[in-house]
Amino acid sequence: MEKSGKKRSNKGFSLVELIIVIAIMAVLAAVIGLAVIRYIEKGRIAMDVYNAGLIKDALNVYAFPSDFQGRVVNYTDPDTNESESYKRGWVYVDKDEIRCSDQSTALAMIQAGLVHVSEETEQKLIDNEQSATRWFPSGPDGDYVRRSGIDEYVFKNALKVKARTTWNTYQLDVYVDDAGELHLGASASNAIRTSGHSRDSKTARLFATKVGLDNAWETPIGDQYNGN
């Protein structure tokens, strides 16, 4: 006796349907991945801004001597064409290290607890802060590791650039004018450098705004005066 009835269908996905599903999953994975990367980068930016704020505060409260060993900067106001002269120091931060331009900026960082050296080294820096010749420790001492090729004090600790795509270096500047008044500045760069510092005004403005120096005088990292 023949059995009658409808045959049960066992059809699975067709090749076209499978390709569509895989494509949708790939798009969703890409969108989610980008969102996660942006979220992580925002956290890294927040950490950099927080650390930069600590450096800014350290420079702002430090009693810089009027004749500290800063580099002489001549600035011409683009609106008034008036020229001014400043002594400039900086704290430069990248993915590997921190560099202080002179003994005063190094002491500002040390006394704020942002970098650490022995008591003997700190006292020696204080004793030589206003001397005609800069004094450098003979070798590694705490976070201090070396003297740079342009006579900076180089430190290594956790206070390094965390961002990956927004900037790869940032810098806080301090300027003392002829009247002894203190000016602060901030800058950053995400440009690839082949020699020296590439100019990256867009990133400099973004970073200066995030650390509360959005009315800064703008020049790029390296020779900038982002101060107010």
Side-chain angles (χ1 to χ4, degrees), residues 36-82:
V36 170
I37 289 170
R38 283 195 293 267
Y39 179 78
I40 292 172
E41 181 69 2
K42 282 183 179 179
R44 289 170 174 161
I45 290 169
M47 181 60 71
D48 284 341
V49 171
Y50 175 78
N51 289 339
L54 296 178
I55 297 172
K56 182 181 76 169
D57 291 343
L59 296 175
N60 197 35
V61 301
Y62 187 75
F64 281 85
S66 58
D67 56 348
F68 88 103
Q69 294 175 351
R71 320 296 168 98
V72 176
V73 173
N74 295 310
Y75 175 78
T76 301
D77 190 301
D79 298 321
T80 65
N81 289 322
E82 293 182 1

Side-chain angles (χ1 to χ4, degrees), residues 130-193:
Q130 298 181 58
S131 64
T133 304
R134 297 184 187 194
W135 176 84
F136 290 87
S138 57
D141 183 300
D143 292 338
Y144 171 82
V145 290
R146 65 184 176 89
R147 173 183 184 177
S148 79
I150 57 171
D151 291 342
E152 296 164 305
Y153 296 81
V154 182
F155 300 88
K156 287 196 178 221
N157 66 14
L159 194 74
K160 296 181 290 188
V161 169
K162 304 296 190 297
R164 295 290 184 271
T165 59
T166 310
W167 49 67
N168 53 33
T169 60
Y170 68 78
Q171 183 166 300
L172 277 296
D173 291 297
V174 58
Y175 295 82
V176 179
D177 62 24
D178 293 336
E181 185 178 350
L182 191 73
H183 304 259
L184 294 178
S187 188
S189 176
N190 197 29
I192 297 173
R193 301 189 304 277

Side-chain angles (χ1 to χ4, degrees), residues 93-132:
V93 184
D94 63 21
K95 295 183 185 300
D96 299 311
E97 59 193 19
I98 305 142
R99 295 189 231 148
C100 296
S101 60
D102 55 85
Q103 292 175 138
S104 295
T105 51
L107 283 167
M109 294 285 286
I110 292 166
Q111 293 182 6
L114 301 180
V115 296
H116 301 87
V117 295
S118 66
E119 291 182 4
E120 293 78 12
T121 293
E122 181 178 353
Q123 187 58 52
K124 196 78 171 175
L125 289 168
I126 293 170
D127 294 341
N128 288 273
E129 184 176 19
Q130 298 181 58
S131 64

Side-chain angles (χ1 to χ4, degrees), residues 70-75 84-90 175-176 223-225:
R71 320 296 168 98
V72 176
V73 173
N74 295 310
Y75 175 78
E84 299 170 307
S85 178
Y86 298 86
K87 285 276 192 78
R88 170 182 176 242
W90 63 82
Y175 295 82
V176 179
D223 60 345
Q224 87 277 14
Y225 181 12

